[in-house]
Amino acid sequence: MRQFHAATALAVTSALALTLTACGNGSGNDASGDQSSTPASSSSATATGGAPAENAGATKDAGSSTGGSGTSTSTGTGGTSGSGGGTGAGRCHTAGLGFSFGSGDGKVSSSDDQQQLAVVLKNKTSAACTIQGFPGVDLKSSGGSWSLTRSGATPKKVTLAAGSSTTFTITFLPWNEGSGTEFKATSVVVTPPNETTSTTLAWPGGSVLLQDGATHPGTYTGPVGG
């Protein structure tokens, strides 16, 4: 009987071992199938590939910020060099300017008989100042006043160091017998750009052809520094 039970137990144990082996092989195939369908390596590559792109963008932004700062610094430097040695120069005022005509009488004849008169503006103060635009120019006679029109030139900003000068030009058409109405100018009143105080100078030229109502008169003023 003992031998029978031993043989039976051995048979049962062997059968159980075969069953467990078969189940174990089946579980291994299923696990292998699950792993092959999981895109672990693909996910890892995406994460790795995204990082350098973000870093490159950050580097580019940093470079742009630095470039902007450089541009700002360059602009400031340009303003300093253009200020004639002084930064933050205020506007030139009439009281701080000296007025005169250019060398000689400043007149230059041209083919159409127009003449030009240079008016000199000198900075009499001890500090730099800036001036930009068209001056107000009025020709005066015993019978009235004539406010001159402006040329089509574009005004530029002029910085005057202490003691330095700039000019603007009055272009005028002299009057000749039979050419039209005579304007017997005796003086010229000059008002610097953005100022309300004027200076009067004796008119060095002769009579001017009156064209105060003309669309394109032959007598007009140019901008300071033009």
Side-chain angles (χ1 to χ4, degrees):
M1 289 295 291
R2 288 180 180 178
Q3 291 178 353
F4 174 77
H5 287 305
T8 302
L10 180 61
V12 171
T13 299
S14 298
L16 180 60
L18 290 174
T19 301
L20 290 174
T21 298
C23 292
N25 290 337
S27 299
N29 291 337
D30 292 341
S32 177
D34 292 341
Q35 289 178 358
S36 63
S37 63
T38 302
S41 59
S42 175
S43 174
S44 175
T46 301
T48 303
E54 293 177 359
N55 291 338
T59 303
K60 184 176 181 180
D61 291 340
S64 298
S65 175
T66 303
S69 175
T71 300
S72 177
T73 302
S74 175
T75 300
T77 303
T80 302
S81 63
S83 65
T87 58
R91 191 179 80 243
C92 297
H93 298 287
T94 306
L97 294 171
F99 298 80
S100 63
F101 296 114
S103 58
D105 60 5
K107 295 184 288 185
V108 179
S109 298
S110 63
S111 59
D112 59 359
D113 294 329
Q114 279 183 315
Q115 296 182 337
Q116 292 182 321
L117 176 65
V119 181
V120 180
L121 306 180
K122 181 178 181 179
N123 181 7
K124 301 187 301 180
T125 72
S126 60
C129 65
T130 62
I131 187 168
Q132 181 178 13
F134 286 86
V137 178
D138 296 282
L139 292 183
K140 297 287 187 178
S141 71
S142 58
S145 178
W146 177 12
S147 296
L148 302 189
T149 59
R150 300 172 176 179
S151 71
T154 300
K156 62 183 179 181
K157 188 174 185 178
V158 178
T159 301
L160 295 178
S164 65
S165 303
T166 187
T167 64
F168 71 88
T169 301
I170 299 174
T171 299
F172 64 97
L173 190 60
W175 173 84
N176 294 308
E177 186 71 36
S179 62
T181 304
E182 180 183 13
F183 186 87
K184 296 180 179 180
T186 57
S187 62
V188 56
V189 180
V190 178
T191 308
N194 303 307
E195 290 289 295
T196 57
T197 305
S198 306
T199 292
T200 301
L201 300 171
W203 177 249
S207 295
V208 180
L209 178 62
L210 181 62
Q211 294 180 314
D212 55 349
T215 303
H216 300 289
T219 299
Y220 52 85
T221 181
V224 172

